[in-house]
Amino acid sequence: MANAYLQGAEISASQFLEIFHHYDKDGNGYIEGKELQNFIKELQHARKQAGLELTDQMRAFVEEYEKNDDVKMDITELAKILPTEENFFLFFRQQVKSCAEFMEAWRKYDADHSGYIESDELKNFLSDLLQRAKKTYDEQKLQDYTATMFKIFDSNNDGKLCLAEMARLLPEQENFLLKFQGVKMDTKEFNKIFDLYDKDRSGYVDENELEALLKDLCKIKKVLEISNLSTYKNAIMALSDGGKLYRAELALVLCAEEL
Ligand SMILES: [Ca+2]
Ligand SMILES: [Ca+2]
Ligand SMILES: [Ca+2]
Ligand SMILES: [Ca+2]
């Protein structure tokens, strides 16, 4: 593979994906161990050949690796290092800054309320993001872009994106959704919890009911931190219909199965 991209040439979203797969030899979703060693060696070599210094991001990454060779690089980290023509990770993060904004967007673009973002819905989402960022694009580009997003994020290849798959786009510190993956329950337990915390039996959980639920969850589940309670609450409430969080909406975050 030509090394132009390591020297700073701009690459397209699909080339970017190829590069990731090129280095992730065993295909486990991370460039790590020998793979990472190889990546860093080729990166340093290519930059030197082109008479270029490492960029600040590259240097920071290499320094971290030198301190701790257990470092794993996932696709969002590679996106920070390699400049892409349309760096959708950085671009997405400029537009969707917090978990609450992400949930709001989720609610809006899951137009058929299936609990998933399907191809057409993702296309609408990307199209709006591009417009907001005042980028020019045509139908072809939008289709490529959508297809690439699916290749990257549809981990279980079912042709639709669930909340947890898309949540990989969020920065680590904002990304409590990944923590909630470890808290999810089966349908029976989820329904029991929903009924228990829907104290007034209105059929939805309001903000206070949700707060009580999350407080108790923080006590039982070590991965959740009580200091983040209001962040969790605000983000999950962003999925609600004007403060009414119905069963199917809460299930997106707390239930491991489809209702
Ligand atoms: Ca790997
Ligand atoms: Ca949908
Ligand atoms: Ca999927
Ligand atoms: Ca209620």
Side-chain angles (χ1 to χ4, degrees):
M1 191 183 277
N3 278 338
Y5 57 87
L6 297 179
Q7 297 170 346
E10 291 216 320
I11 49 178
S12 73
S14 53
Q15 283 171 318
F16 172 78
L17 194 62
E18 271 169 40
I19 293 161
F20 187 80
H21 291 318
H22 170 76
Y23 287 101
D24 178 20
K25 293 254 186 276
D26 64 357
N28 71 344
Y30 295 99
I31 301 175
E32 62 196 321
K34 263 235 148 7
E35 297 165 347
L36 190 54
Q37 222 178 344
N38 189 29
F39 170 76
I40 289 175
K41 212 171 76 198
E42 289 183 15
L43 178 69
Q44 286 170 328
H45 181 72
R47 302 289 296 183
K48 207 168 169 184
Q49 259 192 338
L52 294 166
E53 300 279 317
L54 295 185
T55 63
D56 290 348
Q57 287 95 329
M58 289 172 182
R59 195 173 305 115
F61 188 82
V62 172
E63 275 167 15
E64 207 190 320
Y65 174 74
E66 279 164 355
K67 268 185 261 158
N68 170 16
D69 59 13
D70 286 340
V71 170
K72 287 178 174 182
M73 179 159 72
D74 71 8
I75 202 154
T76 58
E77 270 145 343
L78 183 65
K80 281 185 231 159
I81 293 177
L82 297 183
T84 55
E85 181 190 19
E86 64 269 288
N87 193 331
F88 42 82
F89 294 101
L90 299 181
F91 171 52
F92 176 90
R93 284 177 188 180
Q94 282 160 11
Q95 303 290 324
V96 181
K97 291 201 183 69
S98 68
C99 216
E101 279 181 9
F102 174 76
M103 299 294 236
E104 244 170 69
W106 185 273
R107 182 180 154 67
K108 179 168 168 205
Y109 290 98
D110 177 18
D112 64 356
H113 300 293
S114 65
Y116 296 93
I117 299 290
E118 286 86 2
S119 179
D120 277 7
E121 293 169 345
L122 183 64
K123 217 168 112 185
N124 288 337
F125 177 49
L126 292 174
S127 162
D128 285 0
L129 272 185
L130 288 163
Q131 275 173 29
R132 266 164 64 184
K134 300 194 167 51
K135 304 253 178 195
T136 49
Y137 63 95
D138 55 20
E139 179 60 25
Q140 185 57 46
K141 190 145 210 153
L142 194 58
Q143 269 176 22
D144 289 353
Y145 214 41
T146 307
T148 303
M149 291 283 281
F150 262 98
K151 278 193 207 136
I152 297 176
F153 291 103
D154 185 12
S155 317
N156 65 355
N157 286 316
D158 63 356
K160 48 193 188 179
L161 300 172
C162 69
L163 204 51
E165 287 171 338
M166 278 287 268
R168 286 165 57 205
L169 272 167
L170 286 165
E172 193 89 29
Q173 64 275 19
E174 265 293 337
N175 206 344
F176 78 79
L177 277 171
L178 293 181
K179 286 188 179 169
F180 272 76
Q181 282 306 99
V183 175
K184 283 188 168 182
M185 358 182 157
D186 63 26
T187 308
K188 204 174 142 203
E189 198 186 347
F190 171 76
N191 280 328
K192 218 169 79 187
I193 296 271
F194 188 91
D195 295 336
L196 187 68
Y197 287 91
D198 175 19
K199 282 222 159 42
D200 62 359
R201 310 232 155 226
S202 59
Y204 58 82
V205 166
D206 64 27
E207 201 174 325
N208 294 328
E209 291 167 342
L210 180 66
E211 185 169 319
L213 191 170
L214 289 172
K215 249 186 203 155
D216 289 348
L217 267 184
C218 286
K219 277 181 218 151
I220 318 165
K221 307 282 185 180
K222 283 201 190 75
V223 284
L224 303 184
E225 292 135 4
I226 193 87
S227 57
N228 288 331
L229 186 73
S230 64
T231 312
Y232 302 154
K233 191 183 71 181
N234 292 338
I236 296 173
M237 278 322 274
L239 282 171
S240 78
D241 178 7
K244 298 175 179 175
L245 190 68
Y246 289 95
R247 199 179 292 263
E249 293 153 353
L250 186 60
L252 292 179
V253 181
L254 285 183
C255 188
E257 300 159 344
E258 280 189 57
L259 284 190

